[in-house]
Amino acid sequence: MKLITFLYDSKEYIGVLSPDGARAVPCAELGVSYSDMLSLAVNISNEELTEMKKRLNGYTGGFQLTEVKLLAPIPRPDKDIICLGVNFKDHAEESVDVMGSEYGGERKFPIYFAKRVNEAVPCGDPINGHFDIVTELDYEAEMAFVVRKDAFNVKGENAAEYVFGYTIMNDVSARCIQMRHKQWFRGKSFDGFAPMGPCLVTADEFEFPPKLDITCHVNGELRQSSNTSLYIHNIPYALEELSNGMTIKAGTIISMGTPGGVGMGFKPPRYLKSGDLIECEVQGIGKLVNRVK
Ligand code: MG
C-alpha cells in the first residue's frame, strides 16, 4: 500500500492511495484509526495492514487526489533522520576530489550522520535554497526506510521485521557549509532541506532488501541513475551495526545514501539555482518533485 498524509479542507488526514492512484482514502474509512503516520507505523499490526489492504480493494470512497494537498508522508519526524553517507561506489569516487581520498577506495565502515528535519517538504512544494548563506546547493536522491519497532542488537538476517516501509528523500545539502565544518549536521539540516514523499510504501510490496531503480533528473536531464541493490552497505548491514549497542527507536527514519551524479561530482560542479526542477524517482514508490525557490 502507498500510504499518504494529506490536507483536505485544512484538516490533516492519513490515508492510502487508491490502486488506480486517483483517490486519497482516509485510513479511518478502512477501519484504522491512528493520529498520524508515525503512530500508525510503529503501532499497526500485520493483521491490521492486511485487513486495510482487503478493504481498499473495491472501495470507491475517499477524496479525489486533485482535491487534496499532499504533505510529506511523515511531515514532522520526531527524531533526527539517520543518514548513510557516500554509500554507492560511484558517489564515493566522485566525492574524492571535493571531500578527500579517505572517501574513495574500499569502504570498510559506513559513514553515519544525523539530519535535523523540523518539517519535511511535501512533493510539489518549493525548496528554500537559503541563497543568502548557501552558494553550493546540491541534490541527493535517496531511498529511506522507517523502523517499525525498537531495534537493539538486531541480526541482519532479521532486519526485515523491523522495516515498516519505504519512501523517497532528497537529502538536500549545502556543500559550502557541509565541508566548512568537520561534521555534516549543519549543512544538511537547514529548514526545507528534506523533501520527502510522495508516499510511504509498506514493506510487503517489495522483496527484502529491495532492489529498486533510483534516478534523479534536474530540469529534465538525467543526473543520477542506479539501483538500491548497489549500496556499499545494505539495510541489513546498517540495521545490525546501528542497533549494536544503541537502540534504534521505533519511528526512526534511515536514509540509505545517494548514487553518483550529484552536482558536486561534475567538473566544474553543477550546483542548484533558483527555479531548478528536481525529480527524484524510486521504482515502485513514485516521483518526488520539487522546484528550488
Ligand atoms: Mg545523502
Side-chain angles (χ1 to χ4, degrees):
M1 280 180 294
K2 290 183 167 176
L3 302 176
I4 50 175
T5 299
F6 61 93
L7 292 175
Y8 178 79
D9 204 13
S10 305
K11 187 175 171 229
E12 190 171 314
Y13 292 83
I14 53 171
V16 192
L17 272 181
S18 60
D20 63 1
R23 283 170 299 114
V25 180
C27 290
E29 293 184 23
L30 302 170
V32 171
S33 290
Y34 293 99
S35 56
D36 55 39
M37 191 65 78
L38 262 182
S39 65
L40 180 147
V42 305
N43 289 303
I44 198 165
S45 65
N46 286 334
E47 292 70 34
E48 277 182 296
L49 281 169
T50 306
E51 187 58 31
M52 257 177 97
K53 207 170 175 174
K54 248 192 253 168
R55 291 187 186 193
L56 181 67
N57 276 327
Y59 186 77
T60 55
F63 307 107
Q64 291 299 314
L65 203 58
T66 49
E67 297 177 304
V68 310
K69 156 82 178 139
L70 269 191
L71 300 179
I74 297 177
R76 296 165 298 277
D78 65 352
K79 303 163 196 66
D80 288 349
I81 292 178
I82 299 176
C83 299
L84 277 80
V86 202
N87 195 30
F88 282 89
K89 193 167 179 290
D90 57 350
H91 181 48
E93 285 161 359
E94 73 180 357
S95 300
V96 167
D97 282 354
V98 183
M99 295 167 54
S101 56
E102 67 264 35
Y103 294 101
E106 192 201 349
R107 293 290 313 289
K108 198 168 170 199
F109 299 106
I111 295 166
Y112 300 115
F113 65 92
K115 183 177 177 87
R116 175 66 49 89
V117 181
N118 293 327
E119 189 153 11
V121 176
C123 182
D125 273 19
I127 296 169
N128 183 346
H130 297 272
F131 291 117
D132 52 334
I133 46 174
V134 174
T135 54
E136 298 174 346
L137 186 74
D138 214 345
Y139 51 88
E140 294 191 352
E142 308 200 358
M143 185 182 77
F145 69 95
V146 181
V147 176
R148 73 184 301 184
K149 58 181 179 177
D150 289 0
F152 183 73
N153 285 348
V154 168
K155 288 284 163 227
E157 63 260 33
N158 300 323
E161 63 193 78
Y162 292 83
V163 177
F164 175 73
Y166 306 91
T167 189
I168 306 170
M169 195 174 80
N170 185 349
D171 178 19
V172 177
S173 306
R175 300 297 183 202
C176 49
I177 289 167
Q178 182 188 350
M179 301 308 158
R180 181 195 299 167
H181 302 274
K182 290 293 177 195
Q183 296 276 341
W184 298 358
F185 180 78
R186 182 165 183 253
K188 297 273 192 177
S189 297
F190 287 159
D191 289 356
F193 272 20
M196 185 199 293
C199 60
L200 174 63
V201 178
T202 51
D204 60 301
E205 300 285 338
F206 304 126
E207 62 177 312
F208 187 83
K211 298 183 178 73
L212 307 172
D213 290 335
I214 178 167
T215 61
C216 180
H217 288 79
V218 177
N219 300 328
E221 177 191 336
L222 181 66
R223 295 281 185 90
Q224 300 184 278
S225 179
S226 191
N227 187 280
T228 61
S229 62
L230 297 176
Y231 292 134
I232 298 173
H233 300 283
N234 65 11
I235 294 175
Y237 182 97
L239 206 52
E240 176 167 330
E241 188 167 77
L242 283 167
S243 71
N244 185 207
M246 169 172 66
T247 302
I248 303 300
K249 298 292 286 180
T252 300
I253 301 168
I254 300 180
S255 197
M256 290 299 295
T258 203
V262 299
M264 174 182 77
F266 287 88
K267 290 185 177 61
R270 301 175 73 181
Y271 292 119
L272 295 167
K273 56 187 187 316
S274 181
D276 283 350
L277 186 74
I278 309 155
E279 299 170 272
C280 303
E281 187 165 8
V282 177
Q283 185 185 7
I285 302 178
K287 202 188 274 190
L288 172 65
V289 183
N290 302 92
R291 197 178 284 281
V292 179
K293 192 155 71 179

